[in-house]
Amino acid sequence: AVLGTKLYLIGGFNGTDYFNTCSRFDAVKKTWKEIAPMHCRRCYVSVTTHNGIIYALGGYDGQARQNTAERYCPKTNQWSMIAPMHFQRSDADASTLNGKIFIIGGFNGQECLNSAEFYNPEKNSWTLLSPMLSRRSGVACVSHRSFLYVCGGFNGLSRMNTAEKYDPEKDEWTSIKEMYNPMLR
């Protein structure tokens, strides 16, 4: 995640251990600093920012996919748990749109997901969206203007070159032009 001139690395896996540790790189001073650890170990975690806060959603702790989520306040150097998501998911992607935190697709340990949901920070609650047209794990998600765009991923059988656009006003997914090559984030 990026906030101002600082880059945050959240959780991870080194081939043996699953981490709840987090680090911050100051791009101006060119220095690294360890920050407060998360409450949960998370690799394949989805991360996004909103109003100067970092959100870490889902992931895998070495035993199970997570439906838990937490947020980090750089001013206090503290993580706090937020309401859990409806679904366990790792390998998803997250983005912020219209003051809400969206998480899209992922893997629940048994299947790739076509589900998506958003978090309302003011209400501390999650709301399910209409399902995507395709299941997508390792998907890339970005918000642009008033839409979410999801590209590529893995549907459980193959890497995908398809993409979809989500309209939050209509709660509707539509296909958009295919990419030239399959993509996995």
Side-chain angles (χ1 to χ4, degrees):
V2 176
L3 289 174
T5 60
K6 297 184 174 65
L7 171 70
Y8 293 82
L9 299 179
I10 310 298
F13 175 64
N14 69 1
T16 306
D17 296 316
Y18 296 85
F19 300 117
N20 65 340
T21 55
C22 303
S23 301
R24 179 181 69 214
F25 178 71
D26 186 317
V28 175
K29 295 178 183 176
K30 309 285 191 260
T31 58
W32 284 98
K33 180 179 180 179
E34 191 164 318
I35 62 171
M38 292 181 289
H39 293 275
C40 301
R41 298 177 188 274
R42 299 178 192 276
C43 76
Y44 313 121
V45 60
S46 302
V47 177
T48 191
T49 63
H50 174 60
N51 282 347
I53 303 292
I54 298 172
Y55 290 81
L57 316 170
Y60 180 64
D61 68 1
Q63 296 181 356
R65 270 51 188 193
Q66 304 296 304
N67 71 334
T68 59
E70 46 192 302
R71 61 183 166 202
Y72 175 75
C73 178
K75 291 178 183 174
T76 62
N77 188 33
Q78 289 187 348
W79 286 93
S80 56
M81 299 301 291
I82 62 174
M85 298 180 291
H86 288 95
F87 292 100
Q88 296 171 310
R89 54 178 93 229
S90 66
D91 308 280
D93 203 9
S95 189
T96 303
L97 178 65
N98 300 331
K100 295 181 175 79
I101 310 301
F102 288 82
I103 188 162
I104 310 298
F107 182 67
N108 67 6
Q110 297 172 345
E111 63 183 347
C112 298
L113 303 172
N114 66 347
S115 64
E117 47 192 301
F118 74 82
Y119 176 74
N120 182 330
E122 294 176 7
K123 296 181 179 178
N124 189 32
S125 65
W126 289 91
T127 302
L128 289 172
L129 310 180
S130 295
M132 289 184 291
L133 303 175
S134 298
R135 295 177 183 277
R136 297 176 186 274
S137 177
V139 62
C141 176
V142 66
S143 59
H144 180 63
R145 298 198 174 143
S146 50
F147 299 100
L148 283 177
Y149 293 85
V150 296
C151 302
F154 180 71
N155 64 8
L157 298 172
S158 62
R159 292 178 184 217
M160 304 165 69
N161 68 339
T162 59
E164 304 179 35
K165 176 173 87 170
Y166 177 72
D167 182 343
E169 299 259 329
K170 298 178 182 176
D171 187 30
E172 182 177 86
W173 294 93
T174 55
S175 293
I176 60 175
K177 187 167 177 61
E178 292 178 352
M179 300 179 291
Y180 291 113
N181 296 299
M183 191 237 1
L184 188 63
R185 180 182 66 85

